[in-house]
Amino acid sequence: MTITDLHTATEPNPTAPATFGAPPSPGQLAHRAALTQLRNATDLLGLDEGLHQLLATPRRSLTVAVPLRRDTGTTEIYTGYRVQHNLTRGPGKGGVRFHPASDIEEVTALAMWMTWKCALLGLPYGGANGGIAVDASVLSMAEKERLTRRYTQEILPFIGPDKDIPAPDVNTDETTMAWMMDTYSVSAGYSVHGATTGKPLAVGGSNGRAGATSRGVVLAALEAMRQKGIDPVGASVAIQGFGKVGAHAAQFFADEGCRVVAVSDVTGGCYRESGLEIAAIHEWVGRGGTLASYDGAEQISNAELLALDVDVLVPAAMDGVLTGQNAETVRARMIVEGANGPTSPEADATFVDKGITVVPDILANAGGVVVSYLEWVQNLQAFSWSSEEVDRKLVALMRTASQSVWALAGDKRIPLRLAAHVLGVGKVAEAHQVRGLYP
């Protein structure tokens, strides 16, 4: 198989509802991209079609109604989801996001990517993901708590420390996970700290969890720089998305001596060729300021940020930001995916043609699930590690996975994304073959 043999056309989804000519939703695009990536991996692995279909099909997909009593006394109904893509290597693991665009196909894609990510990192998990289609910004804190607890109750029979362990994602955080853990514990009749990860330290959270995804992004980027012969000191970095992943990553890059020249959020971005003062930007945003209104640098749009001539571009917001339409404008030497699914298959093909290295999401943003795993292990055994010990374990796992991906990519002369998927999908396929099919 050569690079030109890779599938770039998205595979059809026979379960998708008819849209009668409407453009595909972001969730549909993400799911199609995930299926295309899986097909490329199974083709290279030489897996038979029956096993391919087994890997492409979620083990369990839940759609639940989540009623919410608003502070005004009115009741509104939201739709929630939880997809457990594969449980062959262990319990499900994956985030819960609150976003108005969430749908069953987006959640399915995220769960599938989590399956390969956990296998690639050697974690004893399968992939899962969940969410509620809601604009969390219009909810009060009390409303968010009621919504979270009702959602948890609806999916309760299918989650737990031995079944499926939720974690934070878009618009959810450690408080959300504390509410979910407490709801599960109330039902069980005792405290079950391992029911969720990403919790506050006071209720069984782990040191180092808050910035773990960002730390993993930087570790993956540093390995990529080493492989490409780029000196991190002074290397230029642009980060699209200044949320939980991007904000921490900006500081970690700066700590490594990199020159973070641009960052952005939903309002826009800011740019300075000599490098931004990340601490000052954190302070500005902490006071309620937006990046578009930050007066310590030049204002740029998100589209302009993606097209900057930099050493490292980090898409760290939502999926689907690098597409066949804008890929030609990208001038970065490498892309390190902080978000899940930011690059479409069409954009991937363009980046291969342009010689742009893409460090894929299932490797680059795996730091979060690595430290979630460490939190879960600590919960199960009722002890805790120091921040330094957690970081040592994170570095070791990320370094091993990164070097394995780079080695396979070099040996087979394939892109890093395909190499990462071949390793992850291959481990899951092997587990299926060893366990057999019941009955």
Side-chain angles (χ1 to χ4, degrees):
M1 184 179 188
T2 65
I3 291 176
T4 55
D5 294 325
L6 299 180
H7 292 273
T8 56
T10 53
E11 298 201 354
N13 175 22
T15 65
T19 54
F20 302 101
S25 69
Q28 289 173 326
L29 291 174
H31 190 201
R32 293 176 188 178
L35 290 173
T36 298
Q37 293 159 6
L38 172 62
R39 172 62 74 179
N40 287 331
T42 57
D43 282 354
L44 189 57
L45 287 163
L47 302 183
D48 65 65
E49 186 58 23
L51 184 51
H52 168 81
Q53 290 300 323
L54 189 63
L55 296 172
T57 306
R59 172 72 174 272
R60 182 180 291 120
S61 301
L62 301 175
T63 300
V64 297
V66 189
L68 169 66
R69 185 177 65 257
R70 300 296 300 269
D71 292 341
T72 59
T74 60
T75 299
E76 295 179 358
I77 309 296
Y78 296 94
T79 303
Y81 309 98
R82 189 70 185 176
V83 171
Q84 294 165 353
H85 170 252
N86 193 286
L87 305 176
T88 301
R89 298 184 69 256
K93 190 79 189 77
V96 174
R97 59 175 52 187
F98 291 174
H99 194 277
S102 286
D103 58 27
I104 192 66
E105 291 198 290
E106 176 196 56
V107 172
T108 300
L110 292 166
M112 188 179 298
W113 285 323
M114 183 60 83
T115 297
W116 319 138
K117 184 184 301 182
C118 291
L120 175 63
L121 272 292
L123 307 180
Y125 289 138
N129 199 267
I132 303 176
V134 60
D135 181 358
S137 68
V138 304
L139 302 180
S140 69
M141 184 63 74
E143 289 170 336
K144 289 179 185 177
E145 179 175 359
R146 291 195 292 272
L147 186 72
T148 299
R149 290 184 181 276
R150 184 56 185 254
Y151 167 74
T152 305
Q153 187 64 41
E154 293 296 333
I155 66 172
L156 197 66
F158 303 100
I159 62 172
D162 299 316
K163 296 179 181 179
D164 179 2
I165 307 104
D169 202 322
V170 176
N171 296 322
T172 58
D173 55 20
E174 63 177 18
T175 300
T176 315
M177 293 303 107
W179 290 334
M180 292 191 74
M181 185 276 287
D182 182 69
T183 304
Y184 185 93
S185 297
V186 168
S187 177
Y190 55 92
S191 293
V192 186
H193 292 121
T196 65
T197 60
K199 305 179 297 296
L201 287 173
V203 289
S206 174
N207 289 306
R209 177 60 181 86
T213 303
S214 310
R215 176 78 167 123
V217 167
V218 175
L219 290 170
L222 291 173
E223 178 63 25
M225 290 185 209
R226 187 183 72 81
Q227 295 280 349
K228 303 294 287 187
I230 300 173
D231 186 354
V233 177
S236 54
V237 179
I239 301 174
Q240 186 257 344
F242 202 70
K244 287 183 291 188
V245 177
H248 285 294
Q251 188 59 61
F252 288 141
F253 274 115
D255 293 343
E256 295 291 340
C258 298
R259 183 164 44 93
V260 182
V261 300
V263 295
S264 68
D265 60 17
V266 293
T267 67
C270 52
Y271 169 82
R272 189 163 68 189
E273 175 63 26
S274 60
L276 298 167
E277 296 180 12
I278 302 303
I281 293 176
H282 275 287
E283 183 180 352
W284 173 262
V285 172
R287 296 201 308 265
T290 65
L291 295 182
S293 63
Y294 180 66
D295 58 6
E298 175 186 346
Q299 269 66 58
I300 61 172
S301 68
N302 273 283
E304 290 171 327
L305 182 146
L306 295 174
L308 288 173
D309 184 3
V310 292
D311 292 310
V312 181
L313 172 63
V314 181
M318 294 294 288
D319 52 88
V321 298
L322 296 172
T323 67
Q325 286 68 48
N326 65 5
E328 285 290 351
T329 69
V330 174
R331 294 182 290 164
R333 295 178 67 182
M334 70 175 64
I335 298 165
V336 182
E337 296 183 333
N340 289 307
T343 307
S344 73
E346 294 78 12
D348 258 334
T350 297
F351 297 146
V352 169
D353 292 340
K354 295 180 69 173
I356 297 174
T357 299
V358 179
V359 183
D361 47 4
I362 66 170
L363 172 63
N365 66 30
V369 72
V370 168
V371 180
S372 275
Y373 163 69
L374 298 177
E375 179 179 334
W376 178 70
V377 170
Q378 292 170 82
N379 291 161
L380 293 181
Q381 301 190 40
F383 69 88
S384 62
W385 289 305
S386 66
S387 296
E388 293 75 18
E389 182 64 21
V390 169
D391 190 64
R392 279 195 295 271
K393 294 177 185 297
L394 171 61
V395 170
L397 286 167
M398 287 296 300
R399 182 172 294 151
T400 298
S402 292
Q403 292 175 354
S404 296
V405 171
W406 278 95
L408 181 62
D411 181 55
K412 297 292 186 182
R413 300 175 63 85
I414 57 177
L416 293 178
R417 188 184 310 282
L418 180 55
H421 276 77
V422 165
L423 289 170
V425 172
K427 289 182 181 180
V428 179
E430 181 183 8
H432 274 286
Q433 292 165 334
V434 169
R435 287 185 59 165
L437 184 63
Y438 176 84

